[in-house]
Amino acid sequence: MADLPAVAVAISTRDRPDALARCLESLARGRQQPAEIVIADQSEGLATEALDAPAHRIRARPGGLAAAQNDAVRATSASIVAVLDDDCVADPGWIEAIARAFAAPQLGFLSGPVKPLGEAEPGTHAVATRTSMERRALDGRTLPWDAGSGNNFAFRRDWFDRIGGADERLGPGAPGKGGLDMDLFRRLLRAGAPGLYEPDAVVFHERVSTEGRLARRVPYGYGMGACCVLWLREGDRQALPVLGRWIAMRSNRLARSLVRGRWLAVREEALVLGGTARGIGFGIRAPKAPRA
């Protein structure tokens, strides 16, 4: 353990003190402790401030998740930063797995599995899950949605700084609504950062209601459509093929769900595709914005 690199953890939160407390408890139970924990707080209430936690809490700028993530990363001092959502629980081996992976000096960023938290209950659904336990390299040919999830990833700070951090036009709470993680992974890979999907770096994500799952579908598609157009505007020649692959994948899922009579899935895919179309429009009209 003493020979492994230090890992900071960045957590963005907004008015979810109970979930945040559970998240912090999971880190405290880890086999290796983070070098530091930075909480970027955008809460309107005061409950988060009342938490007694061994963490550095900062008041994040308004503007959405991307602004909070940038503020959290800026406040860290370790060369490796892991990002965890406040409604997630880290596996006891999460930090250790990340540190072991980054013992390889060439690694630029890492993602890992996201599994549903707790037992399934009627009316609840897993979201943003990644259950593959196959270790694989990530490179410029990797499709953004295959690279990982925004609730479980880590990077070398110099690579994050090199690409300008998170794009504050994207993600929850910003005009771009979603796509924050897809954009970050795409720009890291495009810049040449060697990536890794590490099956030992596991987190568990809170389940949501049917209404909660449906509410995420439009922003998910919106962000992906926005990202692809923004990449195209940046000169990314693969942006249109990536958008085509995305639309084809979601359309195929819609068609299969129709054939099988899976009406909730039909509704979900229709919302994603509708969001994608609207996101393309946002990507076209979005002003250029410097990244943090």
Side-chain angles (χ1 to χ4, degrees):
M1 292 287 188
D3 295 331
L4 296 179
V7 178
V9 176
I11 303 172
S12 303
T13 193
R14 181 181 172 88
D15 292 314
R16 294 197 287 199
D18 293 340
L20 176 61
R22 182 184 60 195
C23 177
L24 294 170
E25 288 171 5
S26 73
L27 292 171
R29 294 193 297 268
R31 292 196 293 269
Q32 179 172 334
Q33 291 299 295
E36 58 185 334
I37 302 172
V38 175
I39 300 170
D41 188 7
Q42 292 178 325
S43 300
E44 295 182 359
L46 300 177
T48 304
E49 295 182 12
L51 288 178
D52 182 16
H56 175 43
R57 185 181 292 104
I58 63 171
R59 187 67 189 173
R61 292 171 295 131
L65 179 58
Q69 283 191 354
N70 282 332
D71 287 355
V73 172
R74 283 199 197 106
T76 63
S77 58
S79 62
I80 297 165
V81 181
V83 175
L84 184 65
D85 277 2
D86 61 359
D87 61 349
C88 289
V89 168
D91 180 82
W94 185 61
I95 291 292
E96 181 184 357
I98 291 171
R100 289 191 184 281
F102 278 99
Q106 71 276 13
L107 184 62
F109 82 100
L110 168 154
S111 64
V114 180
K115 300 181 179 182
L117 178 63
E119 297 296 325
E121 297 180 3
T124 64
H125 305 269
V127 290
T129 55
R130 293 186 180 273
T131 57
S132 172
M133 299 304 288
E134 176 185 356
R135 184 175 289 104
R136 64 182 188 274
L138 308 173
D139 58 29
R141 298 167 296 180
T142 303
L143 292 168
W145 51 90
D146 289 337
S149 295
N151 48 6
N152 180 18
F153 67 100
F155 49 80
R156 290 194 191 276
R157 173 71 184 273
D158 57 354
W159 274 108
F160 185 85
D161 293 340
R162 191 180 308 182
I163 66 167
D167 189 330
E168 297 184 9
R169 296 172 294 181
L170 299 170
K177 302 183 185 295
L180 173 60
D181 50 352
M182 300 296 97
D183 173 71
L184 190 64
F185 298 151
R186 177 68 182 170
R187 289 189 291 116
L188 282 166
L189 292 170
R190 198 171 66 196
L196 175 70
Y197 180 86
E198 173 50 63
D200 292 337
V202 179
V203 304
F204 300 89
H205 190 209
E206 189 174 76
R207 299 173 188 268
V208 298
S209 66
T210 300
E211 293 76 14
R213 181 171 173 85
L214 290 173
R216 298 172 185 233
R217 298 296 89 190
V218 169
Y220 184 42
Y222 194 105
M224 198 66 233
C227 282
C228 289
V229 177
L230 292 176
W231 300 333
L232 183 64
R233 289 172 54 181
E234 293 168 355
D236 187 340
R237 296 182 180 180
Q238 293 303 309
L240 283 180
V242 168
L243 179 59
R245 293 280 295 273
W246 170 259
I247 293 173
M249 177 184 68
R250 308 313 306 201
S251 298
N252 287 337
R253 290 187 179 183
L254 175 61
R256 290 197 303 269
S257 298
L258 277 169
V259 169
R260 297 171 183 172
R262 298 173 57 203
W263 305 117
L264 179 59
V266 169
R267 187 176 177 188
E268 288 181 11
E269 296 304 328
L271 290 171
V272 171
L273 286 166
T276 301
R278 292 166 57 191
I280 290 171
F282 170 79
I284 292 171
R285 66 178 183 271
K288 289 185 178 180
R291 297 186 177 98

